[in-house]
Structure formats: structure tokens, C-alpha cells
Amino acid sequence: MTTKVLIVEDDLLNRMFYEAVFQQRGYDMMAVDDGARVLDAVESFAPDLITMDIHLPHVSGRKLIRKIRRNPATQHIPILAITAYAGQRDEDEIRRAGAKGYLAKPLRIEQLLEEVDALLGLAEPATQH
């Protein structure tokens, strides 16, 4: 079975970067660039992992993470927050909202792959927060 990743990112270059990385892994992907369309995409695509930008048009990533966590049908999906909000307070708030992983932009391919592997249960997380 192919791993399905929902990429939530409004910046085209970042979205293309994530798509290229995940394509090399053979993952099935769907990309969403607007917070207003995320919940429908989660329901229709049924991803194994969500990468979530925090600053999005129409609905913030934090709010979306909380909504995904409150829904019994989607609360099990690991969410990796990838954001320019890089302070410790930001990370703490994002994790409290329900993100299982957190990466600050800019990021390296190795960081992304290590965190994705850990969230999918393929490896241990590289860093503990």
C-alpha cells in the first residue's frame, strides 16, 4: 500500500520542494494551498500523514490542526507542522494544538525525511522536544 501525504502549503516553491521529496519516496500526494479546503481534502484523500503550514489563507494551520484532532475519524493522522514561526513558544503552542512533529523553515531534506519517517513509524525521531 502506498503512503499518502497531504501537503498543506500556500507557497508554491515550498509545495514543489515537498512534492519532489515525497515523489522520490514513491508517496501518493495531494497538495492544498488554502486553509479553507484542508478539511475536505483530509476527508476525501484520507492521508497517512499531513504536512501543515501554519500561516495559510482563510484558516490558520493551528485552527486546522485542532479541528483534525477533534474529529474521531481524523484524530489519528500524524501532523507535521512546517512553519516560519520558529520560536519555542510557537512550537509549544503548535504542539499543544495537536501537531505530532514540528520543523522550522528553512529546513533541509534530511530533517524532513527523518521527521516523516518518525511520524510514520519507520524510524525514531532524530530530536526530542
Side-chain angles (χ1 to χ4, degrees), residues 39 59 62-71 74 97:
L39 297 177
V59 183
R62 278 187 187 107
K63 184 177 266 189
L64 291 165
I65 292 168
R66 283 188 210 100
K67 287 183 177 190
I68 291 166
R69 287 290 166 251
R70 284 195 298 256
N71 181 341
T74 60

Side-chain angles (χ1 to χ4, degrees), residues 40-98:
D40 287 339
V42 171
E43 186 177 321
S44 66
F45 187 60
D48 299 301
L49 173 74
I50 301 169
T51 64
M52 179 75 69
D53 187 16
I54 298 302
H55 190 289
L56 295 165
H58 300 106
V59 183
S60 78
R62 278 187 187 107
K63 184 177 266 189
L64 291 165
I65 292 168
R66 283 188 210 100
K67 287 183 177 190
I68 291 166
R69 287 290 166 251
R70 284 195 298 256
N71 181 341
T74 60
Q75 65 187 6
H76 68 282
I77 302 170
I79 300 171
L80 172 58
I82 303 175
T83 182
Y85 296 108
Q88 187 61 52
R89 181 174 173 200
D90 295 310
E91 180 178 354
D92 293 343
E93 289 176 7
I94 291 166
R95 286 184 180 276
R96 273 196 301 275

Side-chain angles (χ1 to χ4, degrees), residues 101-113:
Y102 173 92
L103 290 174
K105 295 176 186 175
L107 59 117
R108 297 181 328 275
I109 291 174
E110 299 82 25
Q111 286 177 294
L112 178 59
L113 293 176

